[in-house]
Amino acid sequence: MLSKQTIDVLNSIAIISADDKSNKITISYPLTFIAAAAGDILVQYDLRNSEIGEFENIPVYNLNNLLSVFKLFGDDRTVIRDNKLLKISDGTASAEYIISDESLVEYKDYSKIFESTVNAPSIATFVISKDSMKNLRNASGVFKDLDEYLLKTSESGVKVSLAATNSFKAASNTYSNSFLAKTEKEFTVKLPVKNLNMLPVSDYQFDIKYNSAQDKYRIILTSTEMDNFKIILSPSVK
């Protein structure tokens, strides 16, 4: 009922839902959502086009714990639900994992937020390749005093730069990368380094959305490698 692809996706995004207390998630058909504790990262994984078919909600109190169980088995493992148990087997080894009570793991549906964000007009659209994502992540590891990414309109499109939240504590180090984009409005928004760095490394299309009535920005990322996978980032204004 849970395919290798689904488990791989969950592995790649489990860190987003983790905080000091728990790693709760409801694995749900057709849409599974993961939200960061601060609410500034939302992930939507659409299972309707997957090979696993429809299934009942699976409330999980600690996703990392469940994923560790899957790692005990090879890629040819099978996962079957039997009431409150997930039965996992690869033909020789087997395990039973107790599903959490739904009262302990609330399922939150963020589909309307994704729908409204996708349908909102974009003020900038550009692609950051997997290699460029790796370079940004590596640069943030080198310049540890720079703890935010600035996304700003430039002559050729959008420039992504490393910057410091507290400029008085920052050294004079800088790093930036420019990306071709068609922009409809000048803007400067910022994202915490940790938020972008915890996302799965992939080629992403970035669509920056602007709500003029609320003067708020959202960024929706669509992976070109992971089907039916979208992320919403909520930046702040510089």
Side-chain angles (χ1 to χ4, degrees), residues 21-113:
K21 297 180 180 178
S22 68
N23 194 205
K24 299 177 185 177
I25 182 179
T26 297
I27 305 172
S28 178
Y29 184 95
L31 298 174
T32 292
F33 299 98
I34 287 184
D40 50 1
I41 306 175
L42 294 177
V43 176
Q44 175 183 279
Y45 182 39
D46 191 336
L47 294 165
R48 281 173 287 201
N49 293 328
S50 68
E51 60 189 30
I52 60 179
E54 190 170 351
F55 57 87
E56 292 181 59
N57 283 359
I58 305 173
V60 180
Y61 194 80
N62 190 311
L63 177 59
N64 283 325
N65 184 257
L66 175 60
L67 294 173
S68 294
V69 175
F70 289 137
K71 290 176 183 177
L72 298 173
F73 301 87
D75 290 341
D76 58 347
R77 62 187 168 244
T78 59
V79 184
I80 300 172
R81 179 168 181 168
D82 183 4
N83 197 14
K84 292 293 184 180
L85 294 176
L86 288 182
K87 295 184 175 181
I88 308 156
S89 174
D90 61 6
T92 54
S94 62
E96 293 183 352
Y97 186 89
I98 301 173
I99 298 171
S100 299
D101 193 291
E102 288 188 277
S103 64
L104 299 176
V105 185
E106 180 185 1
Y107 175 69
K108 294 184 178 180
D109 186 345
Y110 296 101
S111 56
K112 290 185 178 179
I113 294 176

Side-chain angles (χ1 to χ4, degrees), residues 169-185:
K169 292 184 179 180
S172 58
N173 300 320
T174 61
Y175 178 85
S176 65
N177 203 335
S178 295
F179 303 94
L180 293 174
K182 181 180 180 182
T183 58
E184 304 295 334
K185 175 185 180 298

Side-chain angles (χ1 to χ4, degrees), residues 212-226:
S212 57
Q214 299 181 12
D215 192 26
K216 288 186 178 180
Y217 293 85
R218 278 185 179 152
I219 305 173
I220 187 158
L221 280 65
T222 305
S223 170
T224 60
E225 296 178 279
M226 293 179 283

